[in-house]
Amino acid sequence: MADLPFESLYRHGFARVAVAVPRVRVADPAYNVEQTVELAAQAAAAGAVLTVFPELGLSAYTADDLFHQDALDAAVEAALARLVAASTDIDTVLVVGAPVRAQHRLFNCAIAICRGLVLGVAPKSYLPNYREFYEKRQFAAAREALEDHVTIAGHRAPFGSDLLFRASNLDDFVFHLEICEDGWVPLPPSGFAALAGATVLVNLSASNIVIGKADYRRSLCTSHSARYLAAYLYSAAGTGESTTDLAWDGQALICENGDLLAEGERFRDDPQVITADLDLRRLVADRLRTTSFADNVHDHRDRLAAMRHIDVRLPVPEEPVALEREIERFPYVPADPAVRNERCAEVHHIQVEGLSTRLRATGTQHVVIGVSGGLDSTQALIVAAKTMDRLGLPRSNVLAYTMPGFATSTRTRTDAHRLMAALGVTAREIDISASATQMLRDLGHPAADGAPVYDITYENVQAGERTSHLFRLANMHRALVVGTGDLSELALGWCTFGVGDHMAHYSVNASVPKTLIKYLIAWAVDTEQFGPEANEVLSSILRTEISPELIPHEDSSAPAQSSEATVGPYELQDFHLYYLLRFGYRPSRVAYLARHAWSDAATGRWPDLVPADQRNAYDLATIKHWLGEFLLRFVQTSQFKRSTLPNAPKVGSGGSLSPRGDWRAPSDASAAAWLEELAANVPDA
């Protein structure tokens, strides 16, 4: 929907939906339809294109044998006619529940209505007739229908549980209707609908409340959305239903791919509407990558091919509709401290498990690691030390080397020594200045004679010397070289190829992004992994500027270079990486999400390691600039480095860049398509 404003969520594959829980009167369709119209208007005003109401909401679920009374049937027909007429002025698709007489039977139905049209009618497939339920006394099941159309309020409409409502003006929005018990059976109709292409699964429910049932419903709906890679909308009957023998809580749920996006207030006395913004493209991206989903489609293709598709033009607002869904600034770092601590512990154990298994498999008892006093080597050294603990070996088997060069600051050099001492590893120092100068002299580089020519050769000679020393040290001590580089650097190509920091015998940080590395170190401090002395130096390292330290500066007390000045802010580039790698989104959508997440530093949740004075905001122009830099590096200029990566454990569902795992890409691809899409669809401000 490129004709919509860039600011509109509907342009970027989102859709706002609503679940409504009205107050009802039993067997009073005239009253109930007015409540329905009022709530639908509220949902439409909020920008929702689909609004779902409870099961049998026009009559109330608890009418019992009154359903067979002609007077109630006539009142329901009148209410439906009123609702169809009113819908011409309400910009949302209404899905309402009502009893429908057809073919000399009574069906419990979900009815889709939009702008004066009855789009389709879905009868309930599975009628509960156990414990407090006895629906078979009043209703016929969908399988008993003899015809595939029915007349509602003068409109002849498709009739059946096999209806898929497909939006003609919003890509990937396809919804399906089922009713209450349909979602509780082992093979629900919505499951087949999802395999047939439905991304929005709708359940109109009555569902009386008993102890523990609300939690079960919530679990059921979230699990359905996860299993079917879909959204699941659920509306249960609430206040006004008969309490002759039962009670009602009016639970309203909107779930997506295993997440609960919104939930209403239960036992609310007045009517309510909840809304949520569905991420349709995320659902489609996950289905595209989950090959077993397609295999399941194949196994049921005969049934799926028989499903009927009904095109509907959704009432998408032309004016901008701002996204209300929270987009985390740090997708790799949970904002909730408790969840984050669990994540860090899990990542740490995966890293230790990976290195432990490699040492056992090779019969190696020593590792060699370069320690710079920066974040990545610190985390790798922590993993190496804990690996020795796990294997029952002394930490002195970790042979740690700090290797100062032309631009090493006193701060990082001091922190490296303090850290090695605090962790109890074997600590050594090798100054690479002399060997690096010799190589520059051999190359005929002017810097060998003191000229301030600080080009890429000057930088990479130092990086190469360090790694070359580490490999030869590993030869001497029958050890493995532990790599320290992280996922963010690999994505940006910010590593020296060949015998540089790109290479190792085994890497431990290769699928851990830079933004998460900080929190892993902070977790080690918070959980007292090594004691007060280590905590002090780890805290110092967390406050140090991220730098390759390869270009000299007059002030040698702190790093002079800034990695982020060249490759962009890691917090922003990690955001771009997540959505490109995990979902493959087009650049304009990534920019839209980044703008939503990062445009206002004063709002949203911040992980607690980001102090108030360092909480950045990025405008659209800045996001566009750094996203362009990321795309060029990620797609075009650095894949050849990733094609020859050493082994490393994958730690998260956000993906890795191993050529043997998540990411297989050509080393000579062009980024033109990505950059052109970014330029054409993202304004400069």
Side-chain angles (χ1 to χ4, degrees), residues 225-255:
S225 71
R227 178 183 296 273
Y228 303 134
L229 300 176
Y232 201 86
L233 283 55
Y234 180 90
S235 179
T239 301
E241 289 284 357
S242 172
T243 57
T244 299
D245 291 299
L246 305 172
W248 313 86
D249 64 338
Q251 190 169 22
L253 303 166
I254 301 177
C255 308

PDB file of all heavy atoms in Angstrom, residues 225-255:
ATOM      1  N   SER A 225      -1.755 -19.607  18.290  1.00  0.00           N
ATOM      2  CA  SER A 225      -1.088 -18.609  17.440  1.00  0.00           C
ATOM      3  C   SER A 225       0.350 -19.017  17.143  1.00  0.00           C
ATOM      4  O   SER A 225       0.868 -18.734  16.055  1.00  0.00           O
ATOM      5  CB  SER A 225      -1.134 -17.233  18.106  1.00  0.00           C
ATOM      6  OG  SER A 225      -0.284 -17.155  19.231  1.00  0.00           O
ATOM      7  N   ALA A 226       1.007 -19.673  18.095  1.00  0.00           N
ATOM      8  CA  ALA A 226       2.376 -20.123  17.874  1.00  0.00           C
ATOM      9  C   ALA A 226       2.422 -21.302  16.917  1.00  0.00           C
ATOM     10  O   ALA A 226       3.222 -21.345  15.977  1.00  0.00           O
ATOM     11  CB  ALA A 226       3.019 -20.506  19.212  1.00  0.00           C
ATOM     12  N   ARG A 227       1.557 -22.288  17.155  1.00  0.00           N
ATOM     13  CA  ARG A 227       1.554 -23.498  16.326  1.00  0.00           C
ATOM     14  C   ARG A 227       1.216 -23.163  14.863  1.00  0.00           C
ATOM     15  O   ARG A 227       1.818 -23.733  13.947  1.00  0.00           O
ATOM     16  CB  ARG A 227       0.538 -24.494  16.874  1.00  0.00           C
ATOM     17  CG  ARG A 227       0.419 -25.777  16.050  1.00  0.00           C
ATOM     18  CD  ARG A 227      -0.664 -26.678  16.608  1.00  0.00           C
ATOM     19  NE  ARG A 227      -0.335 -27.140  17.953  1.00  0.00           N
ATOM     20  CZ  ARG A 227       0.401 -28.224  18.189  1.00  0.00           C
ATOM     21  NH1 ARG A 227       0.879 -28.942  17.193  1.00  0.00           N
ATOM     22  NH2 ARG A 227       0.648 -28.595  19.427  1.00  0.00           N
ATOM     23  N   TYR A 228       0.289 -22.240  14.684  1.00  0.00           N
ATOM     24  CA  TYR A 228      -0.183 -21.941  13.331  1.00  0.00           C
ATOM     25  C   TYR A 228       0.505 -20.737  12.712  1.00  0.00           C
ATOM     26  O   TYR A 228       0.148 -20.327  11.601  1.00  0.00           O
ATOM     27  CB  TYR A 228      -1.696 -21.723  13.347  1.00  0.00           C
ATOM     28  CG  TYR A 228      -2.447 -22.910  13.903  1.00  0.00           C
ATOM     29  CD1 TYR A 228      -3.472 -22.740  14.842  1.00  0.00           C
ATOM     30  CD2 TYR A 228      -2.137 -24.211  13.511  1.00  0.00           C
ATOM     31  CE1 TYR A 228      -4.158 -23.826  15.362  1.00  0.00           C
ATOM     32  CE2 TYR A 228      -2.805 -25.305  14.021  1.00  0.00           C
ATOM     33  CZ  TYR A 228      -3.816 -25.111  14.953  1.00  0.00           C
ATOM     34  OH  TYR A 228      -4.486 -26.184  15.473  1.00  0.00           O
ATOM     35  N   LEU A 229       1.490 -20.158  13.411  1.00  0.00           N
ATOM     36  CA  LEU A 229       2.186 -18.970  12.910  1.00  0.00           C
ATOM     37  C   LEU A 229       1.156 -17.951  12.428  1.00  0.00           C
ATOM     38  O   LEU A 229       1.134 -17.535  11.271  1.00  0.00           O
ATOM     39  CB  LEU A 229       3.149 -19.351  11.778  1.00  0.00           C
ATOM     40  CG  LEU A 229       4.247 -20.355  12.149  1.00  0.00           C
ATOM     41  CD1 LEU A 229       5.070 -20.725  10.934  1.00  0.00           C
ATOM     42  CD2 LEU A 229       5.136 -19.820  13.258  1.00  0.00           C
ATOM     43  N   ALA A 230       0.307 -17.539  13.337  1.00  0.00           N
ATOM     44  CA  ALA A 230      -0.841 -16.717  12.994  1.00  0.00           C
ATOM     45  C   ALA A 230      -1.176 -15.787  14.157  1.00  0.00           C
ATOM     46  O   ALA A 230      -0.586 -15.860  15.238  1.00  0.00           O
ATOM     47  CB  ALA A 230      -2.044 -17.605  12.674  1.00  0.00           C
ATOM     48  N   ALA A 231      -2.136 -14.911  13.896  1.00  0.00           N
ATOM     49  CA  ALA A 231      -2.768 -14.154  14.978  1.00  0.00           C
ATOM     50  C   ALA A 231      -4.024 -14.898  15.399  1.00  0.00           C
ATOM     51  O   ALA A 231      -4.660 -15.581  14.580  1.00  0.00           O
ATOM     52  CB  ALA A 231      -3.109 -12.745  14.504  1.00  0.00           C
ATOM     53  N   TYR A 232      -4.387 -14.771  16.664  1.00  0.00           N
ATOM     54  CA  TYR A 232      -5.580 -15.444  17.165  1.00  0.00           C
ATOM     55  C   TYR A 232      -6.354 -14.439  18.008  1.00  0.00           C
ATOM     56  O   TYR A 232      -5.858 -13.922  19.013  1.00  0.00           O
ATOM     57  CB  TYR A 232      -5.212 -16.672  17.993  1.00  0.00           C
ATOM     58  CG  TYR A 232      -6.329 -17.679  18.134  1.00  0.00           C
ATOM     59  CD1 TYR A 232      -6.520 -18.668  17.164  1.00  0.00           C
ATOM     60  CD2 TYR A 232      -7.194 -17.647  19.224  1.00  0.00           C
ATOM     61  CE1 TYR A 232      -7.546 -19.598  17.283  1.00  0.00           C
ATOM     62  CE2 TYR A 232      -8.225 -18.571  19.346  1.00  0.00           C
ATOM     63  CZ  TYR A 232      -8.394 -19.551  18.371  1.00  0.00           C
ATOM     64  OH  TYR A 232      -9.409 -20.472  18.483  1.00  0.00           O
ATOM     65  N   LEU A 233      -7.593 -14.162  17.593  1.00  0.00           N
ATOM     66  CA  LEU A 233      -8.463 -13.198  18.264  1.00  0.00           C
ATOM     67  C   LEU A 233      -9.588 -13.942  18.962  1.00  0.00           C
ATOM     68  O   LEU A 233     -10.266 -14.772  18.335  1.00  0.00           O
ATOM     69  CB  LEU A 233      -9.054 -12.207  17.256  1.00  0.00           C
ATOM     70  CG  LEU A 233      -8.173 -11.070  16.740  1.00  0.00           C
ATOM     71  CD1 LEU A 233      -6.873 -11.553  16.125  1.00  0.00           C
ATOM     72  CD2 LEU A 233      -8.939 -10.225  15.734  1.00  0.00           C
ATOM     73  N   TYR A 234      -9.786 -13.628  20.227  1.00  0.00           N
ATOM     74  CA  TYR A 234     -10.733 -14.382  21.041  1.00  0.00           C
ATOM     75  C   TYR A 234     -11.606 -13.424  21.843  1.00  0.00           C
ATOM     76  O   TYR A 234     -11.107 -12.529  22.535  1.00  0.00           O
ATOM     77  CB  TYR A 234      -9.958 -15.301  21.993  1.00  0.00           C
ATOM     78  CG  TYR A 234     -10.813 -16.154  22.899  1.00  0.00           C
ATOM     79  CD1 TYR A 234     -11.233 -17.422  22.491  1.00  0.00           C
ATOM     80  CD2 TYR A 234     -11.174 -15.705  24.163  1.00  0.00           C
ATOM     81  CE1 TYR A 234     -12.003 -18.217  23.334  1.00  0.00           C
ATOM     82  CE2 TYR A 234     -11.939 -16.498  25.010  1.00  0.00           C
ATOM     83  CZ  TYR A 234     -12.353 -17.754  24.587  1.00  0.00           C
ATOM     84  OH  TYR A 234     -13.118 -18.541  25.421  1.00  0.00           O
ATOM     85  N   SER A 235     -12.922 -13.606  21.734  1.00  0.00           N
ATOM     86  CA  SER A 235     -13.855 -12.775  22.490  1.00  0.00           C
ATOM     87  C   SER A 235     -14.853 -13.669  23.204  1.00  0.00           C
ATOM     88  O   SER A 235     -15.590 -14.434  22.566  1.00  0.00           O
ATOM     89  CB  SER A 235     -14.603 -11.812  21.552  1.00  0.00           C
ATOM     90  OG  SER A 235     -15.515 -11.017  22.278  1.00  0.00           O
ATOM     91  N   ALA A 236     -14.891 -13.584  24.537  1.00  0.00           N
ATOM     92  CA  ALA A 236     -15.796 -14.415  25.335  1.00  0.00           C
ATOM     93  C   ALA A 236     -16.945 -13.577  25.881  1.00  0.00           C
ATOM     94  O   ALA A 236     -16.801 -12.381  26.143  1.00  0.00           O
ATOM     95  CB  ALA A 236     -15.036 -15.071  26.486  1.00  0.00           C
ATOM     96  N   ALA A 237     -18.087 -14.226  26.069  1.00  0.00           N
ATOM     97  CA  ALA A 237     -19.278 -13.552  26.586  1.00  0.00           C
ATOM     98  C   ALA A 237     -19.025 -13.000  27.981  1.00  0.00           C
ATOM     99  O   ALA A 237     -18.301 -13.597  28.786  1.00  0.00           O
ATOM    100  CB  ALA A 237     -20.456 -14.520  26.605  1.00  0.00           C
ATOM    101  N   GLY A 238     -19.645 -11.840  28.253  1.00  0.00           N
ATOM    102  CA  GLY A 238     -19.412 -11.186  29.527  1.00  0.00           C
ATOM    103  C   GLY A 238     -20.691 -10.821  30.251  1.00  0.00           C
ATOM    104  O   GLY A 238     -21.675 -11.589  30.263  1.00  0.00           O
ATOM    105  N   THR A 239     -20.707  -9.649  30.819  1.00  0.00           N
ATOM    106  CA  THR A 239     -21.790  -9.193  31.678  1.00  0.00           C
ATOM    107  C   THR A 239     -23.131  -9.177  30.950  1.00  0.00           C
ATOM    108  O   THR A 239     -23.224  -8.726  29.811  1.00  0.00           O
ATOM    109  CB  THR A 239     -21.480  -7.778  32.201  1.00  0.00           C
ATOM    110  OG1 THR A 239     -20.258  -7.825  32.924  1.00  0.00           O
ATOM    111  CG2 THR A 239     -22.588  -7.284  33.113  1.00  0.00           C
ATOM    112  N   GLY A 240     -24.139  -9.672  31.624  1.00  0.00           N
ATOM    113  CA  GLY A 240     -25.486  -9.697  31.078  1.00  0.00           C
ATOM    114  C   GLY A 240     -25.967 -11.076  30.715  1.00  0.00           C
ATOM    115  O   GLY A 240     -27.184 -11.317  30.642  1.00  0.00           O
ATOM    116  N   GLU A 241     -25.037 -12.017  30.469  1.00  0.00           N
ATOM    117  CA  GLU A 241     -25.441 -13.395  30.228  1.00  0.00           C
ATOM    118  C   GLU A 241     -26.096 -13.953  31.497  1.00  0.00           C
ATOM    119  O   GLU A 241     -25.763 -13.549  32.618  1.00  0.00           O
ATOM    120  CB  GLU A 241     -24.234 -14.257  29.843  1.00  0.00           C
ATOM    121  CG  GLU A 241     -23.666 -13.987  28.462  1.00  0.00           C
ATOM    122  CD  GLU A 241     -24.503 -14.563  27.334  1.00  0.00           C
ATOM    123  OE1 GLU A 241     -25.526 -15.248  27.630  1.00  0.00           O
ATOM    124  OE2 GLU A 241     -24.155 -14.337  26.158  1.00  0.00           O
ATOM    125  N   SER A 242     -26.993 -14.882  31.321  1.00  0.00           N
ATOM    126  CA  SER A 242     -27.730 -15.425  32.465  1.00  0.00           C
ATOM    127  C   SER A 242     -26.790 -16.131  33.437  1.00  0.00           C
ATOM    128  O   SER A 242     -25.910 -16.904  33.030  1.00  0.00           O
ATOM    129  CB  SER A 242     -28.790 -16.423  31.987  1.00  0.00           C
ATOM    130  OG  SER A 242     -29.377 -17.078  33.082  1.00  0.00           O
ATOM    131  N   THR A 243     -26.986 -15.858  34.718  1.00  0.00           N
ATOM    132  CA  THR A 243     -26.203 -16.536  35.754  1.00  0.00           C
ATOM    133  C   THR A 243     -27.059 -17.556  36.506  1.00  0.00           C
ATOM    134  O   THR A 243     -26.812 -17.840  37.683  1.00  0.00           O
ATOM    135  CB  THR A 243     -25.614 -15.511  36.740  1.00  0.00           C
ATOM    136  OG1 THR A 243     -26.682 -14.734  37.301  1.00  0.00           O
ATOM    137  CG2 THR A 243     -24.630 -14.602  36.048  1.00  0.00           C
ATOM    138  N   THR A 244     -28.049 -18.115  35.789  1.00  0.00           N
ATOM    139  CA  THR A 244     -28.903 -19.137  36.413  1.00  0.00           C
ATOM    140  C   THR A 244     -28.055 -20.257  37.017  1.00  0.00           C
ATOM    141  O   THR A 244     -28.261 -20.662  38.173  1.00  0.00           O
ATOM    142  CB  THR A 244     -29.872 -19.717  35.378  1.00  0.00           C
ATOM    143  OG1 THR A 244     -30.699 -18.661  34.875  1.00  0.00           O
ATOM    144  CG2 THR A 244     -30.753 -20.789  35.998  1.00  0.00           C
ATOM    145  N   ASP A 245     -27.104 -20.734  36.231  1.00  0.00           N
ATOM    146  CA  ASP A 245     -26.227 -21.798  36.722  1.00  0.00           C
ATOM    147  C   ASP A 245     -24.752 -21.520  36.472  1.00  0.00           C
ATOM    148  O   ASP A 245     -23.887 -22.291  36.919  1.00  0.00           O
ATOM    149  CB  ASP A 245     -26.577 -23.128  36.044  1.00  0.00           C
ATOM    150  CG  ASP A 245     -27.933 -23.662  36.479  1.00  0.00           C
ATOM    151  OD1 ASP A 245     -28.082 -23.921  37.682  1.00  0.00           O
ATOM    152  OD2 ASP A 245     -28.818 -23.802  35.614  1.00  0.00           O
ATOM    153  N   LEU A 246     -24.442 -20.461  35.716  1.00  0.00           N
ATOM    154  CA  LEU A 246     -23.073 -20.205  35.292  1.00  0.00           C
ATOM    155  C   LEU A 246     -22.714 -18.737  35.525  1.00  0.00           C
ATOM    156  O   LEU A 246     -23.585 -17.900  35.767  1.00  0.00           O
ATOM    157  CB  LEU A 246     -22.905 -20.536  33.808  1.00  0.00           C
ATOM    158  CG  LEU A 246     -23.309 -21.952  33.362  1.00  0.00           C
ATOM    159  CD1 LEU A 246     -23.270 -22.053  31.838  1.00  0.00           C
ATOM    160  CD2 LEU A 246     -22.384 -22.987  33.990  1.00  0.00           C
ATOM    161  N   ALA A 247     -21.414 -18.432  35.413  1.00  0.00           N
ATOM    162  CA  ALA A 247     -20.939 -17.052  35.484  1.00  0.00           C
ATOM    163  C   ALA A 247     -20.045 -16.778  34.272  1.00  0.00           C
ATOM    164  O   ALA A 247     -19.501 -17.704  33.651  1.00  0.00           O
ATOM    165  CB  ALA A 247     -20.181 -16.810  36.783  1.00  0.00           C
ATOM    166  N   TRP A 248     -19.839 -15.481  33.968  1.00  0.00           N
ATOM    167  CA  TRP A 248     -19.172 -15.079  32.732  1.00  0.00           C
ATOM    168  C   TRP A 248     -18.181 -13.959  33.022  1.00  0.00           C
ATOM    169  O   TRP A 248     -18.489 -13.034  33.773  1.00  0.00           O
ATOM    170  CB  TRP A 248     -20.212 -14.631  31.701  1.00  0.00           C
ATOM    171  CG  TRP A 248     -21.349 -15.614  31.624  1.00  0.00           C
ATOM    172  CD1 TRP A 248     -22.464 -15.648  32.399  1.00  0.00           C
ATOM    173  CD2 TRP A 248     -21.418 -16.752  30.762  1.00  0.00           C
ATOM    174  NE1 TRP A 248     -23.238 -16.734  32.084  1.00  0.00           N
ATOM    175  CE2 TRP A 248     -22.631 -17.434  31.074  1.00  0.00           C
ATOM    176  CE3 TRP A 248     -20.605 -17.265  29.762  1.00  0.00           C
ATOM    177  CZ2 TRP A 248     -23.021 -18.584  30.417  1.00  0.00           C
ATOM    178  CZ3 TRP A 248     -20.994 -18.414  29.102  1.00  0.00           C
ATOM    179  CH2 TRP A 248     -22.192 -19.065  29.428  1.00  0.00           C
ATOM    180  N   ASP A 249     -17.011 -14.039  32.418  1.00  0.00           N
ATOM    181  CA  ASP A 249     -15.979 -13.046  32.743  1.00  0.00           C
ATOM    182  C   ASP A 249     -15.617 -12.124  31.592  1.00  0.00           C
ATOM    183  O   ASP A 249     -14.890 -11.151  31.771  1.00  0.00           O
ATOM    184  CB  ASP A 249     -14.719 -13.732  33.253  1.00  0.00           C
ATOM    185  CG  ASP A 249     -14.048 -14.618  32.206  1.00  0.00           C
ATOM    186  OD1 ASP A 249     -14.737 -15.038  31.250  1.00  0.00           O
ATOM    187  OD2 ASP A 249     -12.834 -14.899  32.341  1.00  0.00           O
ATOM    188  N   GLY A 250     -16.082 -12.415  30.363  1.00  0.00           N
ATOM    189  CA  GLY A 250     -15.804 -11.531  29.237  1.00  0.00           C
ATOM    190  C   GLY A 250     -14.331 -11.394  28.898  1.00  0.00           C
ATOM    191  O   GLY A 250     -13.828 -10.294  28.655  1.00  0.00           O
ATOM    192  N   GLN A 251     -13.631 -12.512  28.838  1.00  0.00           N
ATOM    193  CA  GLN A 251     -12.200 -12.453  28.529  1.00  0.00           C
ATOM    194  C   GLN A 251     -11.985 -12.130  27.062  1.00  0.00           C
ATOM    195  O   GLN A 251     -12.590 -12.750  26.171  1.00  0.00           O
ATOM    196  CB  GLN A 251     -11.520 -13.778  28.872  1.00  0.00           C
ATOM    197  CG  GLN A 251     -10.003 -13.730  28.806  1.00  0.00           C
ATOM    198  CD  GLN A 251      -9.355 -14.961  29.403  1.00  0.00           C
ATOM    199  OE1 GLN A 251      -9.980 -16.023  29.501  1.00  0.00           O
ATOM    200  NE2 GLN A 251      -8.111 -14.846  29.822  1.00  0.00           N
ATOM    201  N   ALA A 252     -11.132 -11.158  26.792  1.00  0.00           N
ATOM    202  CA  ALA A 252     -10.800 -10.747  25.425  1.00  0.00           C
ATOM    203  C   ALA A 252      -9.298 -10.866  25.233  1.00  0.00           C
ATOM    204  O   ALA A 252      -8.525 -10.336  26.039  1.00  0.00           O
ATOM    205  CB  ALA A 252     -11.263  -9.316  25.168  1.00  0.00           C
ATOM    206  N   LEU A 253      -8.891 -11.540  24.163  1.00  0.00           N
ATOM    207  CA  LEU A 253      -7.474 -11.818  23.925  1.00  0.00           C
ATOM    208  C   LEU A 253      -7.109 -11.548  22.473  1.00  0.00           C
ATOM    209  O   LEU A 253      -7.880 -11.868  21.561  1.00  0.00           O
ATOM    210  CB  LEU A 253      -7.151 -13.270  24.252  1.00  0.00           C
ATOM    211  CG  LEU A 253      -7.465 -13.792  25.655  1.00  0.00           C
ATOM    212  CD1 LEU A 253      -7.411 -15.315  25.678  1.00  0.00           C
ATOM    213  CD2 LEU A 253      -6.509 -13.198  26.669  1.00  0.00           C
ATOM    214  N   ILE A 254      -5.926 -10.993  22.270  1.00  0.00           N
ATOM    215  CA  ILE A 254      -5.346 -10.883  20.936  1.00  0.00           C
ATOM    216  C   ILE A 254      -3.926 -11.432  21.026  1.00  0.00           C
ATOM    217  O   ILE A 254      -3.080 -10.884  21.753  1.00  0.00           O
ATOM    218  CB  ILE A 254      -5.334  -9.438  20.423  1.00  0.00           C
ATOM    219  CG1 ILE A 254      -6.752  -8.870  20.379  1.00  0.00           C
ATOM    220  CG2 ILE A 254      -4.701  -9.379  19.023  1.00  0.00           C
ATOM    221  CD1 ILE A 254      -6.818  -7.409  19.956  1.00  0.00           C
ATOM    222  N   CYS A 255      -3.668 -12.519  20.317  1.00  0.00           N
ATOM    223  CA  CYS A 255      -2.374 -13.195  20.366  1.00  0.00           C
ATOM    224  C   CYS A 255      -1.751 -13.217  18.979  1.00  0.00           C
ATOM    225  O   CYS A 255      -2.455 -13.151  17.969  1.00  0.00           O
ATOM    226  CB  CYS A 255      -2.530 -14.632  20.867  1.00  0.00           C
ATOM    227  SG  CYS A 255      -3.445 -14.768  22.412  1.00  0.00           S
TER     228      CYS A 255
END
